[in-house]
Amino acid sequence: MQFRDLKKQYEVLKLEIDAGIAEVIESSKFISGSKVQELEKALANYTGRKHCISCANGTDALELCLLAWGIGKGDAVFVPSFTFMSTAEVVATVGAVPVWVDIDLGTFNMSPVELEKAIQKTLTEGALTPKVIIPVDLFGLPADFSRILPIAEKYGLKVLEDGAQGFGGEIQGKKACSFGDASTTSFFPAKPLGCYGDGGAVFTDDDEMAVLLRSIAVHGKGREKYENIRLGRNSRLDSIQAAVLLPKLIAFEKYEVEAVNRVADLYSNKLQGFPVITPSVPGGFLSSWAQYTLLCSDCETRNALQQELKAHEIPSMVYYPCGLHKQKAFEYCSQGVTLPNTEDACKKVLSLPMHPYLTETEIDSVCTVIKSFFN
Ligand SMILES: *Cc1c(COP(=O)(O)O)cnc(C)c1O
């Protein structure tokens, strides 16, 4: 059993993917070819955003936004600690300071209550200027934007949705990567919509920001290719990745999001009555299930359960074993910080195999091991 079976997906979509790749090779338009523009249109259309600007990866996508907004020295950016490195890394690489916000254990996403406390504390201390909030759509579930956006408005902060894991999710029918001033996603192979290498994208409705993002992503270009009006980066999605993503997006929209939701429902039904908390999706929300993550009663149980699964050749992962505020890289900005829910989650979480091509037989075999472990 695979944790995320990319090979099975390729078998299903092989004809279209191979044809798209061959087309790019024959055209020799490896960078910024027509497939890239076609993909950007399709992605903007899917998310409901006015602009999609593709780039080299999901980390760059976040950094490009912070650069476009001029975020840097002396600025505070509010981020969860229970997330992948990139969310906070980009804050530090542009020279700003990540200010940690604890999560809600029910969703693993940024707590709006803790967010407001962190903003007020930063204002009171006065050393940093609050500028941006980066809520993460963790494990496929959109962050609580209906409560976060009003807080951003109240304090005059920008909102950057980190949708690297959230692509395909929804709140009240509104798609992930459409919330806040700008949103980003990643096409890393194991993400909900993955390519065959690295890739990412920014989404925004802001025309000026879109122009700025395209400039920064290509060496600060002006109207002409060899006119450079600012310092930028080299961050582009290549045409072959776009060719892989185009048929994958069709399958994603047609049946893959539905399929992962079916898998999640099967897991949750079969695991009812056992001493693990299965992930819950709040009313009005839809998850794209980047991960299906259990909360065990304690660390020893989690580790023993993972060993038991491993003994039956069932892969599982701990996302994440350590909050970013406890990582050495962020020691300098985490003095005296305690995030009880983040620290608790790190000890108790366990993610099970999850992908659209998981069969009920496979789900049964995972659940049988879990049940016999607890019996
Ligand atoms: C994967 C991920 C990223 C970074 O994406 P890359 O394409 O790997 O650079 C950013 N944020 C979160 C929450 C992620 O899971």
Side-chain angles (χ1 to χ4, degrees):
M1 193 182 309
Q2 300 287 311
F3 189 71
R4 192 161 191 98
D5 201 336
L6 298 174
K7 213 165 177 179
K8 216 172 202 174
Q9 186 195 42
Y10 175 60
E11 280 162 17
V12 174
L13 302 173
K14 184 175 177 4
L15 279 180
E16 295 97 311
I17 290 174
D18 288 359
I21 292 174
E23 215 183 297
V24 172
I25 295 172
E26 265 160 46
S27 77
S28 294
K29 295 260 177 353
F30 295 109
I31 304 287
S32 310
S34 62
K35 293 266 182 212
V36 175
Q37 281 125 51
E38 197 186 327
L39 177 71
E40 288 182 344
K41 277 206 190 94
L43 290 169
N45 191 45
Y46 178 83
T47 56
R49 281 284 203 192
K50 197 165 169 193
H51 303 280
C52 168
I53 298 95
S54 61
C55 63
N57 55 68
T59 309
D60 278 9
L62 291 164
E63 188 175 339
L64 290 171
C65 292
L66 297 180
L67 291 170
W69 291 337
I71 304 304
K73 205 162 182 288
D75 294 336
V77 178
F78 300 88
V79 293
S81 161
F82 193 64
T83 176
F84 183 66
M85 177 66 173
S86 306
T87 313
E89 186 179 32
V90 294
V91 175
T93 50
V94 302
V97 178
V99 176
W100 309 112
V101 179
D102 208 356
I103 52 166
D104 283 326
L105 275 179
T107 60
F108 301 118
N109 279 332
M110 177 183 272
S111 155
V113 172
E114 294 304 317
L115 169 65
E116 186 155 17
K117 279 194 210 159
I119 295 169
Q120 286 174 347
K121 185 162 180 275
T122 305
L123 286 169
T124 306
E125 287 172 355
L128 299 168
T129 313
K131 287 280 176 74
V132 181
I133 306 164
I134 311 184
V136 176
D137 302 334
L138 204 75
F139 302 154
L141 182 70
D144 194 350
F145 288 98
S146 60
R147 289 166 69 201
I148 290 171
L149 291 174
I151 296 171
E153 183 145 354
K154 180 173 168 188
Y155 294 93
L157 309 181
K158 288 213 182 281
V159 174
L160 174 54
E161 176 190 10
D162 181 349
Q165 301 180 17
F167 194 83
E170 293 176 14
I171 305 175
Q172 313 282 6
K174 197 174 178 327
K175 288 270 193 306
C177 293
S178 75
F179 300 105
D181 300 277
S183 314
T184 63
T185 199
S186 162
F187 304 122
F188 182 82
K191 306 281 168 153
L193 179 65
C195 62
Y196 289 168
D198 278 310
V202 181
F203 302 88
T204 184
D205 297 321
D206 181 333
D207 299 342
E208 262 175 59
M209 185 187 184
V211 172
L212 206 49
L213 287 165
R214 288 201 188 278
S215 169
I216 297 168
V218 186
H219 306 291
K221 70 169 181 187
R223 284 221 183 108
E224 309 293 329
K225 191 174 173 191
Y226 292 104
E227 180 197 11
N228 305 99
I229 57 177
R230 59 178 62 84
L231 297 175
R233 294 281 188 279
N234 172 17
S235 188
R236 293 175 296 224
L237 182 77
D238 64 67
S239 309
I240 286 182
Q241 299 307 337
V244 170
L245 286 165
L246 277 163
K248 278 209 183 193
L249 177 61
I250 293 171
F252 186 78
E253 188 166 11
K254 238 186 189 163
Y255 59 84
E256 285 189 350
V257 176
E258 224 172 282
V260 285
N261 274 282
R262 203 157 49 233
V263 172
D265 284 346
L266 284 169
Y267 268 135
S268 296
N269 287 333
K270 290 173 197 289
L271 293 173
Q272 250 179 44
F274 289 87
V276 285
I277 299 174
T278 54
S280 63
V281 176
F285 283 66
L286 180 79
S287 177
S288 60
W289 296 105
Q291 305 297 340
Y292 182 89
T293 304
L294 301 175
L295 202 56
C296 298
S297 52
D298 54 53
C299 194
E300 294 69 43
T301 308
R302 189 269 309 276
N303 294 344
L305 177 57
Q306 183 168 38
Q307 281 313 308
E308 184 70 12
L309 287 164
K310 195 175 171 201
H312 290 82
E313 289 173 6
I314 294 167
S316 64
M317 303 292 285
V318 174
Y319 295 126
Y320 295 90
C322 178
L324 295 181
H325 71 296
K326 296 273 193 189
Q327 296 281 6
K328 188 170 183 345
F330 293 115
E331 223 169 49
Y332 72 99
C333 61
S334 307
Q335 296 304 316
V337 175
T338 50
L339 304 169
N341 287 351
T342 296
E343 286 156 32
D344 205 35
C346 291
K347 289 181 196 141
K348 298 178 178 173
V349 286
L350 189 64
S351 301
L352 301 180
M354 169 51 92
H355 60 81
Y357 303 90
L358 208 61
T359 64
E360 185 159 2
T361 314
E362 289 174 309
I363 297 164
D364 272 330
S365 67
V366 177
C367 295
T368 303
V369 174
I370 295 174
K371 286 174 190 175
S372 69
F373 172 81
F374 284 115
N375 290 330

